[in-house]
Amino acid sequence: MKPTGFWDFSLAYYGNPQVAVTCLELQDIYGVNVNLLLWSLWLESEHLLLTEERLKAAINVVSTWEQSYVWPLRQLRRSMKRDFAVSPGQVAEVREQIKQAEFLAEKQEQQWLQDLVSSWKPLSEPLQKNQNLGVYLLYLDLPLAVIERATSQCGLP
């Protein structure tokens, strides 16, 4: 299997409408970091094992950035959409610029996550299907029904 960058993997994988809808629901309802969810799947595609210790390190790397920059940009963008549903040209343009800033902030977060694994050694055998995703979702202590739904709708085929 040819290695791919995390960002390219995410764009392709998130391009599936079912994955996108489920990820956004998990984000909005349960506070799931979609980048960490996608990262867990990308790791599996690269034969890299996610452990709770590695997950904690990743959360430590991205949590301040996520809370201080990504979430505020997302909230601002969503507030503008709600408050200016039929927005005049300039408001729509400002909202689009905020969306681009959010997109770039997410890309930076993904770069840090990819850099984090540069010294990890791939396993010689494939992981169990969606094993890494399970590590992340169990760590969040989500209800089992939510984990099962997320795995069936967002997990690797």
Side-chain angles (χ1 to χ4, degrees):
M1 174 180 296
K2 182 181 180 244
T4 62
F6 176 34
W7 182 251
D8 292 334
F9 172 90
S10 294
L11 291 177
Y13 203 78
Y14 194 81
N16 177 329
Q18 179 178 332
V19 169
V21 167
T22 302
C23 284
L24 290 176
E25 286 175 2
L26 290 167
Q27 174 184 274
D28 293 344
I29 297 169
Y30 298 101
V32 170
N33 179 321
V34 173
N35 281 328
L36 287 171
L37 183 148
L38 293 169
W39 183 65
S40 73
L41 297 170
W42 175 72
L43 290 174
E44 183 174 331
S45 76
E46 299 294 315
H47 301 283
L48 297 168
L49 177 65
L50 181 62
T51 63
E52 189 171 318
E53 181 180 316
R54 288 175 167 180
L55 176 59
K56 287 178 181 178
I59 290 169
N60 188 49
V61 166
V62 300
S63 64
T64 299
W65 182 259
E66 180 78 12
Q67 292 170 10
S68 299
Y69 302 103
V70 177
W71 288 351
L73 287 167
R74 183 177 300 129
Q75 289 307 110
L76 181 59
R77 177 181 54 81
R78 288 179 172 181
S79 294
M80 289 181 79
K81 183 177 182 179
R82 182 188 63 241
D83 296 344
F84 301 97
V86 180
S87 57
Q90 287 185 333
V91 173
E93 192 176 313
V94 170
R95 187 173 174 276
E96 184 58 33
Q97 291 296 317
I98 293 167
K99 183 177 180 180
Q100 288 304 310
E102 179 187 357
F103 188 74
L104 290 172
E106 299 241 24
K107 188 174 185 179
Q108 176 59 62
E109 185 175 316
Q110 287 199 6
Q111 185 61 55
W112 286 326
L113 289 168
Q114 181 172 319
D115 292 347
L116 186 64
V117 305
S118 63
S119 65
W120 295 10
K121 301 291 183 220
L123 299 174
S124 56
E125 298 180 20
L127 283 79
Q128 291 180 4
K129 185 177 173 186
N130 298 311
Q131 179 177 340
N132 288 341
L133 178 59
V135 169
Y136 178 51
L137 297 176
L138 286 169
Y139 178 81
L140 296 176
D141 200 26
L142 299 178
L144 186 55
V146 173
I147 292 172
E148 289 172 352
R149 180 173 170 262
T151 301
S152 71
Q153 295 182 353
C154 288
L156 293 171

